[in-house]
């Protein structure tokens, strides 16, 4: 099929990107597998290129030897005379035989070089071959050089993006079919970015905290989809909005190693989400406990619960029974300094309010004075 301008795109039909270009997050370790496959492909390419260079060198050497042999043959034939000795005749025949052999070798090398060139044209293109420089300057799919964003700018950018597209990101996270995901990104290409991937992970953690495990796993799947697209874009050095269709085309017909790599990344992400959710819940509980502790603090800044647990058993029992006399007896049994220490801690934590007791004694004394008067 050709376009209205008559451009034939058939020459691009055999372009592909092999598994080793899909570097996965940094969220496995599949990178070693991809490096191994990439190295094997590069070694195969190098071997093919070396074979071509060897053929060219052998062909050039054959031509050089043929020219030398033909030069010797012309000299021998030019100075040939009747009745010459047998040694010269034998030399002439030897050179003639050598020339014939070298001509055959020359034709053989030419044939082998043509076959090598045809084999090279049939080889599919990949990242290492298609990305070779063809012009002195290129402005396609190259990000402009910009100054490094500060951490604050990144946070503000992420916050603005998430607030603006929260609904669309959540919708993408709930999609289950490859075709639906591809169509949704085609309609919303602005979602193909790092902010979406980060937001999806946050949604996963929220679902895990709420114990909505099935929803967490679903959104985690979409987070890995976005991560694979971003990694593919970084490898190809193109805008991710320009290569997400390539990812979906690949994943729908992927071989087992690629599918295993995707599944492995997904499992790793789910493990990290569960771990992050657990840590967040533990931190929340600690914050709540600290808030409750701050509310409990007495006038001296001590926690009454902690102070109570540090008291001797008899003093604890006096507080349990709210018996002042038992408390005084328990304190009197202690060393004066030790008793003072515990009493001050009780006052600082609010377990004991001495003014209340003293106030009652003063009221009783006032009443007795009035009766005597």
């Amino acid at each position: 099929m050709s376009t209205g301008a008559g451009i034939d795109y058939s020459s691009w039909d055999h372009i592909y990107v092999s598994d080793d270009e899909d570097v996965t997050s940094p969220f496995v370790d599949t990178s070693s597998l991809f490096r191994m496959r990439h190295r094997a492909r590069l070694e195969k390419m190098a071997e093919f290129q070396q074979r071509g260079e060897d053929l060219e060198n052998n062909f050039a050497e054959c031509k050089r030897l043929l020219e030398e042999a033909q030069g010797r043959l012309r000299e021998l034939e030019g100075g040939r005379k009747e009745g010459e000795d047998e040694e010269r005749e034998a030399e002439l025949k030897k050179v003639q035989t050598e020339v014939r052999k070298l001509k055959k070798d020359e034709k053989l090398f030419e044939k082998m070089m043509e076959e090598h060139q045809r084999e090279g044209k049939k080889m599919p293109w990949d990242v290492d071959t298609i990305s070779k420089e063809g012009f002195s300057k290129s402005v396609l799919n190259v990000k402009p050089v910009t100054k490094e964003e500060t951490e604050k700018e990144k946070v503000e950018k992420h916050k603005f993006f998430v607030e603006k597209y929260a609904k669309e990101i959540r919708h993408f996270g709930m999609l289950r079919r490859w075709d639906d995901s591809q169509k949704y990104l085609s309609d919303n290409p602005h979602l193909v970015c790092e902010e979406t991937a980060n937001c999806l992970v946050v949604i996963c953690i929220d679902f895990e905290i709420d114990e909505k495990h099935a929803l967490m796993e679903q959104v985690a799947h979409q987070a890995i989809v976005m991560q694979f697209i971003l990694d593919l874009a970084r490898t190809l050095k193109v805008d991710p909005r320009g290569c997400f269709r390539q990812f979906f085309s690949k994943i729908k017909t992927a071989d087992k190693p690629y599918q295993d790599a995707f599944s492995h990344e997904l499992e790793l992400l789910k493990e990290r989400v569960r771990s992050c959710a657990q840590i967040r819940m533990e931190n929340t509980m600690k914050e709540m406990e600290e808030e409750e502790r701050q509310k409990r603090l007495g006038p001296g800044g001590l926690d009454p619960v902690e102070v109570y647990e540090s008291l001797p058993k008899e003093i604890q029992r006096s507080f349990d029974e709210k018996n002042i006399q038992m408390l005084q007896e328990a304190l009197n049994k202690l060393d004066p300094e030790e008793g003072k220490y515990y009493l001050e801690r009780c006052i600082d934590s609010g377990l004991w309010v001495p003014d209340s007791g003293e106030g009652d004694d003063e009221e009783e004394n006032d009443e007795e004075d009035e009766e005597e008067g």
Side-chain angles (χ1 to χ4, degrees):
M1 179 179 174
S2 62
T3 63
I7 301 176
D8 183 12
Y9 292 97
S10 60
S11 60
W12 299 85
D13 291 343
H14 63 300
I15 295 177
Y16 81 112
V17 177
S18 58
D19 290 340
D20 46 71
E21 274 81 42
D22 297 308
V23 182
T24 54
S25 112
F27 286 141
V28 128
D29 179 359
T30 58
S31 58
S32 58
L33 170 63
F34 292 147
R35 285 196 300 269
M36 180 187 69
R37 299 184 69 183
H38 184 246
R39 184 169 60 252
R41 182 170 56 77
L42 290 178
E43 290 175 355
K44 185 177 179 181
M45 288 171 55
E47 182 182 350
F48 179 81
Q49 184 176 357
Q50 185 62 47
R51 183 152 52 92
E53 292 176 359
D54 291 342
L55 284 173
E56 291 179 358
N57 292 335
N58 290 335
F59 178 69
E61 181 66 14
C62 181
K63 288 188 68 175
R64 186 184 68 80
L65 293 175
L66 178 59
E67 289 175 359
E68 290 180 357
Q70 288 175 334
R72 293 201 309 273
L73 180 61
R74 285 192 294 270
E75 291 177 0
L76 291 170
E77 289 180 340
R80 184 180 184 184
K81 296 179 181 179
E82 293 292 336
E84 287 184 339
D85 56 17
E86 295 180 358
E87 184 177 348
R88 188 178 182 84
E89 287 292 326
E91 178 68 17
L92 179 62
K93 291 180 180 179
K94 180 181 177 182
V95 173
Q96 288 174 338
T97 302
E98 184 179 354
V99 168
R100 286 195 295 270
K101 180 179 182 302
L102 288 171
K103 285 183 178 180
K104 289 182 180 179
D105 291 343
E106 183 182 33
K107 291 181 179 179
L108 178 61
F109 281 127
E110 286 180 348
K111 183 179 180 181
M112 292 173 66
M113 288 176 62
E114 290 175 358
E115 291 178 355
H116 185 268
Q117 291 174 356
R118 284 196 295 270
E119 185 179 348
K121 291 180 179 180
K122 291 179 181 179
M123 291 178 66
W125 294 355
D126 52 42
V127 173
D128 297 298
T129 54
I130 196 173
S131 60
K132 288 184 178 179
E133 184 178 8
F135 301 92
S136 61
K137 183 179 179 181
S138 174
V139 295
L140 297 177
N141 292 326
V142 177
K143 294 183 178 179
V145 178
T146 58
K147 66 176 184 178
E148 192 72 21
E149 287 183 319
T150 64
E151 195 63 32
K152 183 177 180 181
E153 289 173 339
K154 290 179 181 179
V155 172
E156 290 297 323
K157 178 182 177 182
H158 177 78
K159 182 179 179 183
F160 175 79
F161 183 89
V162 171
E163 289 177 352
K164 185 176 182 180
Y165 300 112
K167 185 177 179 181
E168 289 89 339
I169 294 173
R170 185 172 288 267
H171 181 84
F172 174 76
M174 296 300 172
L175 298 176
R176 296 180 178 276
R177 299 175 64 248
W178 298 119
D179 291 339
D180 293 340
S181 296
Q182 180 177 347
K183 184 179 185 306
Y184 194 74
L185 292 181
S186 297
D187 297 336
N188 301 274
H190 54 276
L191 296 182
V192 187
C193 62
E194 195 74 37
E195 286 75 19
T196 296
N198 295 336
C199 184
L200 289 171
V201 174
V202 173
I203 294 173
C204 289
I205 297 174
D206 291 338
F207 278 140
E208 183 65 19
I209 291 175
D210 294 338
E211 297 185 354
K212 298 177 180 178
H213 307 300
L215 288 175
M216 181 277 285
E217 294 184 357
Q218 166 57 33
V219 178
H221 178 276
Q222 295 299 88
I224 292 299
V225 167
M226 187 58 63
Q227 190 61 48
F228 264 58
I229 294 172
L230 296 173
D231 289 340
L232 177 60
R234 280 191 288 268
T235 302
L236 299 178
K237 297 180 181 179
V238 299
D239 191 311
R241 292 171 294 182
C243 70
F244 69 88
R245 294 178 181 84
Q246 185 174 338
F247 163 75
F248 286 110
S249 176
K250 182 180 183 63
I251 195 66
K252 286 186 284 189
T253 59
D255 53 14
K256 192 175 185 302
Y258 190 84
Q259 292 176 347
D260 290 345
F262 185 93
S263 299
H264 183 57
E265 285 289 346
L266 178 57
E267 290 304 315
L268 286 179
L269 176 58
K270 288 191 286 190
E271 289 177 10
R272 280 191 292 273
V273 166
R274 295 185 186 103
S275 177
C276 289
Q278 182 65 30
I279 293 173
R280 185 190 289 185
M281 287 188 289
E282 291 174 357
N283 291 338
T284 300
M285 290 299 296
K286 290 179 181 178
E287 291 174 1
M288 293 175 62
E289 290 174 359
E290 182 60 26
E291 289 178 3
E292 290 297 323
R293 181 179 176 278
Q294 291 296 327
K295 292 177 182 178
R296 293 195 306 263
L297 295 182
L302 297 182
D303 182 0
V305 175
E306 294 177 0
V307 171
Y308 174 83
E309 292 176 350
S310 69
L311 295 173
K313 296 297 182 181
E314 291 186 9
I315 298 179
Q316 286 183 353
R317 189 161 57 251
S318 67
F319 280 108
D320 294 339
E321 298 179 9
K322 299 180 181 179
N323 190 321
I324 298 176
Q325 184 177 354
M326 184 184 295
L327 174 61
Q328 291 175 342
E329 292 175 355
L331 291 172
N332 291 334
K333 292 179 181 179
L334 299 174
D335 180 88
E337 290 297 326
E338 188 178 8
K340 181 181 178 181
Y341 168 76
Y342 283 122
L343 184 59
E344 288 178 351
R345 284 177 59 82
C346 290
I347 293 173
D348 290 342
S349 65
L351 282 174
W352 173 254
V353 184
D355 294 340
S356 61
E358 294 175 2
D360 293 340
D361 292 341
E362 290 177 0
E363 290 178 3
E364 291 177 1
N365 292 335
D366 291 342
E367 291 176 359
E368 290 177 359
D369 292 341
E370 288 177 1
E371 290 176 359
E372 290 177 359

